[in-house]
Amino acid sequence: MTARALALAALFLLGAAPALHAVPAGAAAAAAADVATPAADDAAAADAAATPAGDDAAAATPADSTQLFVGTWMLLNTPAQAEIPPFYELITFHADGTVVQTESDLTGPPFPATVGHGVWRRVSGPGLVLNYTVVHLVYDPTTFLPLGTIKVVGRGVLGKDGNTFSGQVKATVYDLHGAVLFQGNGPFAGSRVENEPF
């Protein structure tokens, strides 16, 4: 399997967007420590325990701090597997708890796939932490028949400025019978896509 093929199978996300904060070198690698061991998945407890920082985060109350995640983010993924090159993703968290995710080579071999859809929620942990699960449909690019799915599970923490986001992600590729074809993981880091004046 080529490095590009492994990258596609490993962590599905990406794109290119304007008005993004720069991702510091090594930020993705540092993300692992930021979200290493979250507590129980209880958004209410997370709201009570978290202490947001930065202008946006400082303005948040326990009742609305979850909404700080809402928006579109451009993230750089750095797979733990040395043979897989870094790649980008675009991921959007909606206020209703749903999420949409895509990445640059999503339609390439060996697992051409659709844009992913899923759900997210706040979880307990140091700072403002979320967990998300996204599913992509794998298909044959010639016949468009279904071949399986890709499940992406991630956990990320909001930066103190409210506009940066980092964490860990893992991806598993399944065939139509649920057999595992590939697994990959690694850290990610990036920034919010911001609206610009015309």
Side-chain angles (χ1 to χ4, degrees):
M1 186 178 292
T2 65
R4 180 170 180 268
L6 292 172
L8 290 169
L11 307 155
F12 289 64
L13 330 166
L14 322 163
L20 298 171
H21 300 284
V23 180
D34 290 334
V35 293
T37 310
D41 289 348
D42 184 348
D47 280 323
T51 305
D55 293 340
D56 290 337
T61 66
D64 67 11
S65 60
T66 293
Q67 299 308 306
L68 292 174
F69 291 104
V70 173
T72 297
W73 304 81
M74 184 176 178
L75 307 175
L76 172 64
N77 291 264
T78 307
Q81 296 75 21
E83 68 274 20
I84 306 176
F87 62 95
Y88 289 92
E89 72 169 288
L90 283 171
I91 188 166
T92 300
F93 299 106
H94 302 123
D96 64 356
T98 58
V99 58
V100 176
Q101 177 193 56
T102 188
E103 56 93 21
S104 60
D105 292 332
L106 195 60
T107 59
F111 303 114
T114 65
V115 169
H117 294 261
V119 293
W120 70 277
R121 65 171 174 170
R122 274 285 308 282
V123 295
S124 297
L128 295 170
V129 183
L130 66 72
N131 188 86
Y132 62 89
T133 300
V134 173
V135 175
H136 300 258
L137 302 177
V138 180
Y139 62 91
D140 184 313
T142 301
T143 65
F144 297 101
L145 292 174
L147 297 179
T149 59
I150 303 166
K151 181 183 290 185
V152 178
V153 179
R155 185 179 296 271
V157 61
L158 191 69
K160 292 182 179 181
D161 61 0
N163 287 315
T164 53
F165 184 58
S166 59
Q168 288 279 334
V169 67
K170 59 183 179 180
T172 306
V173 183
Y174 301 91
D175 68 14
L176 290 175
H177 304 288
V180 174
L181 301 178
F182 183 83
Q183 290 182 308
N185 66 283
F188 64 80
S191 58
R192 188 187 299 275
V193 177
E194 298 186 55
N195 188 28
E196 291 185 345
F198 182 71

